[in-house]
Amino acid sequence: GESVGLHLPTLSVQEGDNSIINCAYSNSASDYFIWYKQESGKGPQFIIDIRSNMDKRQGQRVTVLLNKTVKHLSLQIAATQPGDSAVYFCAENNNAGGTSYGKLTFGQGTILTVHP
Amino acid sequence: DGGITQSPKYLFRKEGQNVTLSCEQNLNHDAMYWYRQDPGQGLRLIYYSQIVNDFQKGDIAEGYSVSREKKESFPLTVTSAQKNPTAFYLCASSGQGSHTIYFGEGSWLTVV
């Protein structure tokens, strides 16, 4: 089946730097994308989402960019802090039939380590 | 506080035993989900339920069973038929018509 994948499994940055986490998806019918943050031993936390009719969305210190032409998604974290260290997952949803809200396909995740 | 509560946090299962993981939510969400996460891996969907008394198989349903008798509860049973049950299990829920799912804190299951 189609799935979401990541280019880089690990990313190390210095505190204060900007971080960019990438994600490639293969299902061109996906219409909704989410980024989650997962700290060790905990459940994933919602960060930001974007619909397929948008190419950019900004939150607090985070920006998600969507390039449908090359089926690429990225998460940018500004002024990265040690508390941002976690695993970041992208996920996609294809709800073309109107019955699949919430059924997400997850990528493998990127480990972000922020050094003080 | 509103949220999703999973219990127990840690559970050990002997070979041949069935175990049940509890998931309760007080968010008034219609849909609930169970995901499995193996070390260093992403999440895979086991079962989901969009409404009370109805549920569907996800991508890896074999060896698992669920029930949805109440809106706020969606317990998962890991049966003896599941040959490799050691994993981190995550329950989630979402509101009607919402793409975004919210997760509980997870339950660790280990076979001994």
Side-chain angles (χ1 to χ4, degrees):
Chain A
E2 297 186 45
S3 63
V4 177
L6 291 171
H7 293 304
L8 300 173
T10 62
L11 178 64
S12 293
V13 300
Q14 291 295 127
E15 182 178 2
D17 288 350
N18 296 333
S19 302
I20 300 176
I21 301 171
N22 296 302
C23 177
Y25 65 94
S26 56
N27 187 350
S28 57
S30 291
D31 55 4
Y32 182 75
F33 304 87
I34 308 177
W35 281 99
Y36 285 92
K37 172 186 180 183
Q38 186 178 27
E39 296 177 335
S40 182
K42 296 186 176 181
Q45 297 173 274
F46 171 86
I47 301 174
I48 192 168
D49 58 4
I50 188 168
R51 296 188 181 276
S52 59
N53 60 354
M54 302 170 68
D55 54 18
K56 180 179 181 179
R57 191 170 188 209
Q58 289 184 294
Q60 188 176 17
R61 284 202 305 120
V62 294
T63 301
V64 56
L65 299 177
L66 176 63
N67 185 332
K68 294 182 288 296
T69 302
V70 295
K71 289 184 282 189
H72 184 268
L73 191 68
S74 69
L75 176 70
Q76 300 179 1
I77 305 173
T80 314
Q81 303 166 1
D84 294 327
S85 294
V87 179
Y88 289 80
F89 292 96
C90 62
E92 62 172 332
N93 177 247
N94 171 13
N95 192 41
T99 60
S100 300
Y101 283 109
K103 281 185 64 184
L104 301 177
T105 300
F106 284 81
Q108 287 187 308
T110 293
I111 301 172
L112 175 64
T113 302
V114 182
H115 300 284
Chain B
D1 288 345
I4 302 169
T5 302
Q6 291 187 236
S7 63
K9 180 68 176 179
Y10 301 97
L11 186 61
F12 297 90
R13 190 194 94 168
K14 294 182 179 180
E15 295 281 351
Q17 275 187 338
N18 293 350
V19 293
T20 297
L21 306 179
S22 171
C23 179
E24 303 279 330
Q25 54 98 1
N26 60 4
L27 301 169
N28 199 34
H29 283 170
D30 290 304
M32 296 186 73
Y33 313 81
W34 275 104
Y35 283 85
R36 169 180 171 143
Q37 186 176 29
D38 293 284
Q41 304 278 327
L43 282 69
R44 292 182 291 168
L45 183 63
I46 303 173
Y47 267 99
Y48 65 103
S49 168
Q50 294 179 316
I51 196 169
V52 174
N53 292 322
D54 186 52
F55 48 83
Q56 287 79 41
K57 294 181 178 180
D59 300 320
I60 55 165
E62 185 175 353
Y64 300 97
S65 66
V66 294
S67 63
R68 187 84 187 277
E69 298 177 0
K70 299 185 296 183
K71 185 176 184 178
E72 60 270 23
S73 179
F74 191 40
L76 173 74
T77 297
V78 185
T79 75
S80 57
Q82 171 51 240
K83 298 306 178 187
N84 186 24
T86 296
F88 190 44
Y89 290 88
L90 288 156
C91 179
S93 69
S94 64
Q96 187 176 28
S98 173
H99 291 282
T100 305
I101 65 174
Y102 296 92
F103 287 88
E105 289 299 290
S107 293
W108 291 94
L109 174 63
T110 303
V111 173
V112 296

